[in-house]
Amino acid sequence: MTRAAVLVARAIFPEVLDQLRQVFEVDHNQDDVVLSPGQLRERLLGKAGALTTGSERIDGPTLQACPGLKIVANMAVGFNNFDIEAMTRAGVLATNTPDVLTETTADFGFALLMATARRVTESEHYLRAGHWHQWRYDLFAGAEVHGTTLGIIGMGRIGQGIARRAAHGFGMRVLYHNRSRLGPELERQCKAGYVDKATLLRESDHVMLVVPYSAASHHTIGARELALMKPGATLVNIARGGIVDDAALVQVLRERRIAAAGLDVFEGEPQVHPDLLTVPNVVLTPHIASATVATRRAMAQRAADNLIDFLLRGRPRTPLNPEVLT
Ligand code: GLV
């Protein structure tokens, strides 16, 4: 029997690649060169499946150019690099990697919140630069975290993980805003209260963004929303670039209209708005919220399992558009 051909579009753990090689003809990219849209189309020609990351865009023209494609398995929970409607129309299954990264990503949301409120990177730069000569009563005095109010925008699995950490670990009051309200049992477990976005922004000491990116969530936080936040508040974005208007954020950080921000994702990443690099009161990390060795391995495994289970057995684990299976 001929083996199906698949593309692994970026470098992944060698042991996961080996599993795929046991059952498929694999075209890999262990050199990890980011493929241009044209290169991606060329490499997808004749492939039944692909393992992608958020860097590869799967859209209508790509699907038209690659009629043999049956499944694209994203190694990410977010899938805004997919045009899901076009994939469904073309009969191409899309899968992602939910669940395996929830707690790790919630941990990182908290790491970024703590680093931002307590000025961790700013103070480390000061120390490394040799500026630390003596203890001082207000040296890098930051914002309190425990016992304050956390506002979470986007209350999916990761948002709920952050809420549980905040409420149960840090004694915080948790407010949330989401497209749909959680059921009473989940609200009770997360100790979280539903409010509209403006109330959340006005009442929170810290705001955390965990909302998926779509045209509707573009610039969820812009100049108008930033103006509603408390003067001493912090803003953390572990969701996607484009959820925050980065240029508007630079402005309020410069003028200290909010205290600080922590950003793991950026508009147009891996480019970063150049002015963000010049303001001291922002913690910047390169899209690493799910990056522990165990979790990244689990994500790669989940994506590989989706390819194997679908192409060999017709039963993917975590389909995004299951209607193409019927
Ligand atoms: C990372 O950003 C993911 O969506 O998994």
Side-chain angles (χ1 to χ4, degrees):
M1 204 175 91
T2 54
R3 299 179 343 149
V6 301
L7 171 69
V8 179
R10 296 288 305 278
I12 57 164
F13 295 91
E15 62 273 23
V16 178
L17 192 63
D18 285 344
Q19 288 175 35
L20 291 170
R21 279 181 164 141
Q22 281 168 24
V23 290
F24 299 127
E25 290 305 319
V26 177
D27 176 10
H28 67 77
N29 181 11
Q30 288 300 82
D31 290 340
D32 211 28
V33 180
V34 177
L35 303 173
S36 69
Q39 289 168 327
L40 180 65
R41 270 176 224 171
E42 258 171 47
R43 299 278 289 266
L44 281 174
L45 262 184
K47 305 291 179 354
L51 191 156
T52 53
T53 68
S55 317
E56 289 77 42
R57 175 134 187 86
I58 303 294
D59 55 13
T62 302
L63 294 162
Q64 269 167 18
C66 308
L69 199 58
K70 294 189 174 67
I71 172 173
V72 185
N74 222 24
M75 186 185 143
V77 67
F79 51 90
N80 54 302
N81 56 315
F82 286 176
D83 181 339
I84 286 284
E85 277 160 29
M87 291 177 80
T88 305
R89 274 198 306 276
V92 175
L93 186 77
T95 65
N96 67 340
T97 59
D99 305 322
V100 293
L101 50 63
T102 302
E103 300 302 329
T104 300
T105 305
D107 282 350
F108 190 80
F110 240 88
L112 204 47
L113 167 59
M114 295 297 294
T116 301
R118 299 302 304 275
R119 307 176 65 180
V120 171
T121 56
E122 198 185 346
S123 63
E124 186 186 349
H125 287 148
Y126 169 92
L127 180 152
R128 284 180 188 269
H131 297 317
W132 186 34
H133 303 303
Q134 60 206 343
W135 184 92
R136 207 189 123 83
Y137 76 99
D138 62 349
L139 188 63
F140 291 103
E144 209 68 87
V145 174
H146 73 273
T148 60
T149 298
L150 175 65
I152 302 174
I153 299 185
M155 199 60 159
R157 286 167 285 232
I158 298 168
Q160 291 167 33
I162 290 163
R164 286 195 307 273
R165 282 160 177 75
H168 300 290
F170 284 77
M172 298 174 92
R173 169 182 176 234
V174 179
L175 303 176
Y176 78 96
H177 183 69
N178 198 42
R179 248 183 332 186
S180 50
R181 188 169 173 170
L182 299 183
E185 177 54 24
L186 267 182
E187 280 193 356
R188 196 189 56 73
Q189 281 172 21
C190 296
K191 287 197 179 176
Y194 181 83
V195 288
D196 61 62
K197 189 167 89 173
T199 304
L200 181 145
L201 292 169
R202 272 194 212 101
E203 291 193 11
S204 298
D205 300 298
H206 307 284
V207 174
M208 176 94 64
L209 304 171
V210 208
V211 67
Y213 183 82
S214 68
S217 62
H218 183 73
H219 286 186
T220 294
I221 300 293
R224 208 173 29 160
E225 289 75 19
L226 289 162
L228 295 175
M229 290 176 67
K230 290 185 181 180
T234 72
L235 176 73
V236 170
N237 185 10
I238 57 163
R240 275 291 181 271
I243 299 288
V244 176
D245 177 345
D246 287 347
L249 178 62
V250 165
Q251 204 60 32
V252 298
L253 287 171
R254 269 218 180 107
E255 294 164 13
R256 304 255 169 191
R257 280 192 273 132
I258 67 169
L263 305 175
D264 186 48
V265 286
F266 303 88
E267 286 191 282
E269 67 183 53
Q271 308 307 319
V272 175
H273 191 297
D275 294 350
L276 277 173
L277 302 173
T278 68
V279 282
N281 47 341
V282 62
V283 179
L284 306 169
T285 53
H287 202 144
I288 56 166
S290 65
T292 64
V293 177
T295 293
R296 285 284 165 86
R297 191 173 279 132
M299 291 164 68
Q301 188 65 55
R302 173 59 58 88
D305 287 344
N306 271 316
L307 283 180
I308 295 169
D309 288 353
F310 177 61
L311 288 174
L312 270 54
R313 295 183 265 281
R315 287 196 312 271
R317 298 195 184 193
T318 46
L320 289 163
N321 54 351
E323 55 272 38
V324 307
L325 297 170
T326 53

